[in-house]
Amino acid sequence: PPDMPESNSSNIELWVAKNDICELQRLYAKATDLLCINTPSANAEATQIYHRIFTPQAVISATGMAPHIGPDAWVDLVVGALGEFAATQHLIGTQIAEVHNLPGDDHSAGRGTLFSHLQAWHAKPDGDMWHYIGIYEANVVCHPGMGWKIAEMNLRQVSEDYRKISPRP
């Protein structure tokens, strides 16, 4: 409200920005799991989400691979990487969003960082399972009218586990 003291208004803007930044990682997980389904409609929805959460020239990378530029390049990589799996589930854990500055009335960009834990389960049709544990580290930007988006994201692998999925008794 207009009569709200500046400090409360700023605190609310900061809280909203942090929530919006964390939502980027949750949407990323949803889109990535959709790409594993690998149907035209699932891929279209995932691609739309990636375009919503990444800047057009986002630099996206993961441990052991060269960076990819832009959401479409990352879609291609993810579809290829998850193609052998029957199902995936990307679980986003601890999320820490830091807002370095909010977008300004002078049309200056907002900037921040996002740190998120990941556990991703990848099941193969033969019953093998790959459990990937990592940390997403991202730089985010917010331009007026655009909302918060990921400008740079790296997935750093922490650990992994391979095992056989046992049938239910």
Side-chain angles (χ1 to χ4, degrees), residues 1-168:
D3 59 346
M4 183 179 287
E6 181 60 32
S7 61
N8 285 342
S9 178
S10 296
N11 288 340
I12 290 170
E13 288 179 88
L14 185 61
W15 180 85
V16 169
K18 286 183 174 193
N19 183 69
D20 290 350
I21 292 168
C22 288
E23 182 74 1
L24 297 170
Q25 199 70 65
R26 294 186 291 266
L27 287 168
Y28 174 83
K30 175 183 178 181
T32 302
D33 287 339
L34 283 167
L35 290 172
C36 181
I37 296 169
N38 202 13
T39 64
S41 63
N43 289 1
E45 183 180 354
T47 300
Q48 182 181 18
I49 292 170
Y50 276 8
H51 278 268
R52 177 177 162 199
I53 65 171
F54 287 113
T55 64
Q57 295 299 310
V59 178
I60 311 163
S61 61
T63 298
M65 65 177 56
H68 287 66
I69 307 298
D72 291 326
W74 199 249
V75 166
D76 293 343
L77 174 96
V78 172
V79 167
L82 299 181
E84 68 179 297
F85 299 110
T88 66
Q89 185 179 50
H90 289 74
L91 305 169
I92 305 300
T94 305
Q95 294 180 302
I96 301 170
E98 295 291 333
V99 177
H100 304 300
N101 61 287
L102 291 166
D105 291 336
D106 62 354
H107 300 289
S108 60
R111 301 208 179 278
T113 53
L114 176 61
F115 173 91
S116 307
H117 286 108
L118 165 72
Q119 287 194 39
W121 300 83
H122 304 84
K124 291 184 177 181
D126 66 2
D128 285 344
M129 193 269 304
W130 176 40
H131 180 208
Y132 182 102
I133 300 170
I135 297 171
Y136 289 108
E137 296 163 324
N139 292 316
V140 297
V141 296
C142 182
H143 295 282
M146 179 184 83
W148 288 97
K149 292 192 177 220
I150 299 168
E152 184 177 0
M153 183 177 79
N154 181 59
L155 172 56
R156 182 170 42 92
Q157 185 174 5
V158 174
S159 184
E160 63 186 342
D161 180 30
Y162 293 89
R163 56 179 92 154
K164 194 64 137 172
I165 299 173
S166 301
R168 189 175 182 171

